[in-house]
Structure formats: structure tokens, C-alpha cells
Amino acid sequence: MASLSAERNIIDLEISEILEKPAVVTLNVADVIAVRVKDLDDFEEGAEVTLYAQGWILGASVAVIEVGHTVAPAVAARGQDDPGTDRSGELAAIRAQQAEESLRQRVEAADRIVEGRVRAVTSMEAVATRGGTTTVSEHDANWQEAIVEVTETIKGDEADEIVVRFPNSTDVAWYGVPKLTEGQQGIFLLTADQVSGGAVAVPRGGTAVSAYTALEPSDVVEPADYDLVRRLAGGN
């Protein structure tokens, strides 16, 4: 934690109650953690706050980055027997805020965003026989190519079809990556392929086109978030 000495906006927070945390993180009441806050002026020594944060440094000590906070009335003011305000609504709002911010970052990073349907899926081994390339490693990805018929272009150049590569392996290196299937419909947040070994794809009977990937779980959007994606992409 000595490395934090050069950081700005750091406070020490003594834990009085844990509302929610990842199971792998060990924290107890009376532990002190370091928090990088948005604005030091929002915090006073001795104040009781409810802090919402994301992980930052996890080791012998813990440091987190503030997402948001609320200041609670002093315990003496509300009475020792008063448990305070129900914060379940605040937790839900913070979760929604975090999810939207994460999706915003993926939308901004995407080279293309399309809505469409997976017409076909082909292994890269078959693609290689048509002049494509493939890379084999210790954690072989078993690359596949999905041909997506585009029904709407939300970000990027218009196209009738797009090639999306994805690893079909369940190896730990690729376990959480979306696996596309024939007939699957959705909105796809796509990044130019920089990992499969070849940036160009040659669909059967077609001409060479750029290949894309969707490697984060949020890159295949749930239907409930379609309108949100369109709104977030509207400013790009």
C-alpha cells in the first residue's frame, strides 16, 4: 500500500458494516481500507458514509475506487436502536449505474455495432483450406467464424453481412467468451480482429473482408439492453 503515497484523493475508511462484497475478498468489521474518492471535499473525518466501490488493489491490504457514496445521519442523531435507512434501493441503483457504465465503455470501444442473425458457423480449420490463416497455441482457441446477416447497423460502416470470429474452446483462457450459434439473433459489439492470427476473412464464395471479434460477455447484448445500446451509441 506504500505505492498509494503518490496517489491523490485517498482516504482511509474503517468498516462498520459490510453490505455486499465478492466472496473471494476477505473483509471484516473494523478493517481499514484505502479508497480513491472522486472528491476529497465530500468527506469529513469521523463521518459515517455508505460507500459503493469497485476493486482496485487486492492483497494483504485492500484499496478500492469510489463509484458513489451517501452520507448517513450521525448514529447519535437517529438513536442507537435505529438501524437506519433501508439501502436495498440504493444498491440496486448503483448496480444499474455500474452496468450502464460498463456497457458505455464497450460501446465506445467497439469498431462496429450491428443487430443481426447468425447465418452460419464454420471452423477456422475449414477456413484455412480456403486461404485463411489460423494460429495454434498452448491454449488452442479452436477459432470459429460466424457469418452474421445484418438487419441494422448501429455504429460503423453499413454491410449486409459481417464475419465474427470467436473461440469455441472452453479452456480457462477462453471460458467466458461468447460462443455464437447458428440462428442466434442479437446486437453484437464488435472489435477488429487482432487475436485470431488473421485480420481478413474470406467467406465461402465471397471476397476478402475484415474480420471482427466479440470477446467480452457484454459484447453480445441482452434484449433488455437493446434500447440502451442504441442510446449510448447515438453519441458516437
Side-chain angles (χ1 to χ4, degrees):
M1 303 300 281
S3 63
L4 295 181
S5 59
E7 291 282 346
R8 298 181 177 181
N9 291 6
I10 299 293
I11 67 169
D12 291 332
L13 184 74
E14 181 179 352
I15 297 174
S16 58
E17 181 184 1
I18 299 170
L19 302 178
E20 184 177 284
K21 70 173 183 64
V24 296
V25 178
T26 300
L27 286 176
N28 299 291
V29 171
D31 283 351
V32 176
I33 64 173
V35 183
R36 188 169 77 186
V37 298
K38 297 178 180 179
D39 189 343
L40 279 176
D41 292 337
D42 289 344
F43 296 85
E44 295 181 359
E45 186 172 345
E48 181 182 344
V49 303
T50 301
L51 179 81
Y52 307 95
Q54 60 185 14
W56 182 19
I57 301 172
L58 304 176
S61 300
V62 173
V64 299
I65 298 174
E66 178 198 1
V67 173
H69 77 277
T70 56
V71 179
V75 174
R78 68 172 193 248
Q80 292 289 346
D81 296 330
D82 185 349
T85 303
D86 180 6
R87 284 160 290 192
S88 59
E90 293 178 10
L91 284 170
I94 290 293
R95 288 193 195 98
Q97 178 184 339
Q98 288 177 307
E100 180 169 333
E101 179 57 29
S102 177
L103 185 58
R104 181 191 304 277
Q105 292 174 5
R106 295 305 299 169
V107 166
E108 290 177 350
D111 295 311
R112 299 177 88 160
I113 301 176
V114 301
E115 181 177 1
R117 174 183 173 276
V118 178
R119 177 171 62 79
V121 175
T122 308
S123 73
M124 286 291 285
E125 289 183 0
V127 171
T129 66
R130 303 202 302 270
T133 60
T134 184
T135 299
V136 178
S137 69
E138 176 186 359
H139 301 286
D140 184 16
N142 186 16
W143 287 102
Q144 311 282 302
E145 280 190 356
I147 308 299
V148 177
E149 294 178 335
V150 178
T151 56
E152 179 186 356
T153 298
I154 300 171
K155 179 181 178 181
D157 296 334
E158 299 277 350
D160 293 331
E161 291 186 339
I162 286 182
V163 174
V164 182
R165 289 181 178 149
F166 65 93
N168 202 40
S169 170
T170 56
D171 181 271
V172 64
W174 308 106
Y175 181 77
V177 177
K179 319 297 185 188
L180 305 188
T181 57
E182 187 172 331
Q184 181 177 355
Q185 300 185 45
I187 288 180
F188 305 94
L189 311 185
L190 306 175
T191 304
D193 182 11
Q194 299 177 357
V195 293
S196 75
V200 175
V202 184
R204 185 181 298 277
T207 57
V209 296
S210 297
Y212 293 84
T213 56
L215 301 180
E216 294 292 331
S218 58
D219 287 345
V220 178
V221 181
E222 295 293 330
D225 290 327
Y226 283 7
D227 290 342
L228 177 58
V229 167
R230 291 187 175 93
R231 175 168 64 82
L232 294 175
N236 288 277

